[in-house]
Amino acid sequence: MDNDPLTVTMLTLLIRRNLPEVDVTWACRRGRDAVARCLSADSRPDVLLVDMSLEGMSGVEVCRRIRAATADVVLIGVTSFSLEHYAADALAAGAQCVMDKARVADICDAAVALVNGRALRTQYVSELTAVQSHALLAKHDETDADDDAAARLAAAAAVASLTDREREVMRLCAQGRSSREIGELLGVGESSVKTYVMRAARKLGARNRTQAVAEWLMLQD
């Protein structure tokens, strides 16, 4: 995959010339499309060449998403820019190697070697197998998901802990009303409003009224 249609065409022609027995099943310019095709059993390739300098979703992120989901695709990062610039991030994201886009014959040799489980003789090669990278990245994603779930539960608990009056005060604060205006609307003194705000801020984990309002608005999404 590459964001330059001419490059995609030339790479396809050169790969077919170097590996006439290989079927180039598809090529695309958008990272999201490549990820979707690699995650579908009907369109999953044995090897994917990933341009590192894609627009939108980066080549590194394409590798990470695919490798976190499956170990069944050989991922080769390719670039016409500095290999060193991309290598560390790409290999950490599950690419098995990063190579010069212009060296098509070498890329083809690497693809054949990786598909057949052989070691590579190129500079930027992952120390992990695809299976090991997949296990590592999948575990990382599961941890992130658990953290997100815990954060959502904590946020829900924080909102649930507010009294009806504290909720009403925070709603009015979020509208930009002053403590005096809120007090007049609710029929309480200004000092009482400030007390409600202070209590709500403490429950929301905020240090002041501004932070409390920001937290309150975020938790309403």
Side-chain angles (χ1 to χ4, degrees):
M1 60 169 299
D2 196 293
N3 59 6
D4 182 353
L6 179 60
T7 299
V8 170
T9 300
M10 290 304 299
L11 276 174
T12 301
L13 290 173
L14 291 171
I15 290 169
R16 284 174 173 159
R17 180 180 299 173
N18 280 271
L19 298 173
E21 72 280 10
V22 168
D23 183 17
V24 180
T25 56
W26 51 263
C28 63
R29 297 171 59 189
R30 289 164 47 89
R32 294 184 184 279
D33 293 341
V35 173
R37 293 184 185 188
C38 286
L39 299 191
S40 170
D42 294 333
S43 56
R44 181 179 299 151
D46 294 320
V47 180
L48 180 68
L49 305 185
V50 185
D51 183 15
M52 291 289 94
S53 55
L54 295 172
E55 296 180 3
M57 183 184 294
S58 70
V60 170
E61 181 62 13
V62 169
C63 289
R64 193 200 68 76
R65 293 195 183 192
I66 294 171
R67 184 59 75 231
T70 180
D72 294 337
V73 180
V74 169
L75 296 174
I76 299 178
V78 297
T79 183
S80 56
F81 299 101
S82 167
L83 296 179
E84 186 178 2
H85 178 75
Y86 293 105
D89 288 342
L91 297 178
Q96 283 142 284
C97 62
V98 180
M99 305 185 72
D100 185 342
K101 190 189 299 184
R103 302 179 69 88
V104 179
D106 291 343
I107 292 172
C108 290
D109 289 343
V112 171
L114 288 168
V115 166
N116 289 282
R118 298 199 303 267
L120 296 183
R121 295 181 178 178
T122 189
Q123 184 175 5
Y124 297 105
V125 181
S126 175
E127 296 180 356
L128 302 178
T129 66
V131 172
Q132 290 170 331
S133 290
H134 166 60
L136 187 65
L137 291 168
K139 182 178 180 180
H140 183 273
D141 281 1
E142 288 175 1
T143 300
D144 286 348
D146 289 343
D147 289 345
D148 288 344
R152 288 194 296 271
L153 287 173
V159 173
S161 70
L162 298 180
T163 65
D164 289 342
R165 180 49 60 90
E166 289 165 353
R167 290 168 186 262
E168 184 66 12
V169 168
M170 290 310 304
R171 184 181 67 81
L172 293 169
C173 284
Q175 293 176 1
R177 298 182 182 274
S178 67
S179 295
R180 177 178 296 179
E181 290 174 326
I182 295 172
E184 292 174 353
L185 287 169
L186 299 181
V188 299
E190 187 175 346
S191 61
S192 295
V193 172
K194 291 179 180 179
T195 298
Y196 289 130
V197 171
M198 181 184 65
R199 290 175 181 171
R202 188 186 309 118
K203 293 177 181 179
L204 295 171
R207 290 181 294 179
N208 53 47
R209 176 176 175 145
T210 301
Q211 287 187 3
V213 169
E215 289 291 330
W216 170 260
L217 289 172
M218 184 174 64
L219 295 174
Q220 305 312 298
D221 295 337

